[in-house]
Amino acid sequence: MKLPNRSMVVMIPVSNTEQIGIRPVVDPEKADQVLQAIPQIKVEMDSNWNRRYRENLERMKSGDLLEVACVIRGLTDRDNKRGLSTGERKMLHTARQILISELVLSKNESYEDVEAELDQVLA
């Protein structure tokens, strides 16, 4: 059974966006800068799982795409070296979705194309 393709539109008064913490989507140049910066990102992660998790959560809450990219870089590197706990694996997945979703909107490209580009710069 095929479900109908539906989309949802969320409408927020423009005058309230700052108050509720919504910022505009980054422009395509900034999106490219974030992707190009990822290979050079060096992240020092705390050895204590709880502190590391809280630090990464704060980075993701910041709304700064470069901070989200730091979470992705750090957790990807840790996964390659030692593996991730279930909580950190979920956080990595969420961080990737946040970054990819914004880049899709900014660059007007497909999710798959942006995901492939991210995987390439992480390799």
Side-chain angles (χ1 to χ4, degrees):
M1 179 171 122
K2 186 174 179 182
L3 296 175
N5 186 8
R6 295 183 184 174
S7 61
M8 179 181 4
V9 175
V10 177
M11 298 178 74
I12 300 170
V14 175
S15 61
N16 293 344
T17 56
E18 250 185 69
Q19 292 172 334
I20 60 174
I22 295 178
R23 60 169 177 71
V25 173
V26 296
D27 59 61
E29 293 83 28
K30 175 70 175 171
D32 286 334
Q33 289 172 359
V34 170
L35 278 173
Q36 291 168 3
I38 290 174
Q40 288 80 37
I41 294 174
K42 302 290 183 230
V43 181
E44 293 293 323
M45 292 208 155
D46 199 302
S47 60
N48 179 289
W49 182 90
N50 194 27
R51 275 190 289 246
R52 189 171 60 243
Y53 189 85
R54 278 188 272 133
E55 287 171 2
N56 284 331
L57 196 56
E58 287 302 312
R59 285 183 175 122
M60 288 177 46
K61 285 181 178 179
S62 73
D64 182 346
L65 283 188
L66 204 49
E67 289 295 316
V68 175
C70 285
V71 172
I72 294 169
R73 174 92 259 175
L75 290 178
T76 300
D77 289 349
R78 186 164 184 86
D79 189 25
N80 292 336
K81 292 176 186 165
R82 300 181 185 163
L84 296 175
S85 67
T86 303
E88 285 182 313
R89 188 165 307 284
K90 184 177 180 195
M91 180 177 279
L92 175 57
H93 177 73
T94 302
R96 285 177 59 93
Q97 282 191 309
I98 290 168
L99 181 63
I100 293 169
S101 296
E102 180 140 1
L103 297 182
V104 163
L105 293 171
S106 174
K107 295 163 63 91
N108 198 26
E109 294 178 8
S110 73
Y111 189 95
E112 293 77 17
D113 288 345
V114 174
E115 185 175 35
E117 200 173 348
L118 176 60
D119 289 339
Q120 184 179 6
V121 297
L122 286 168

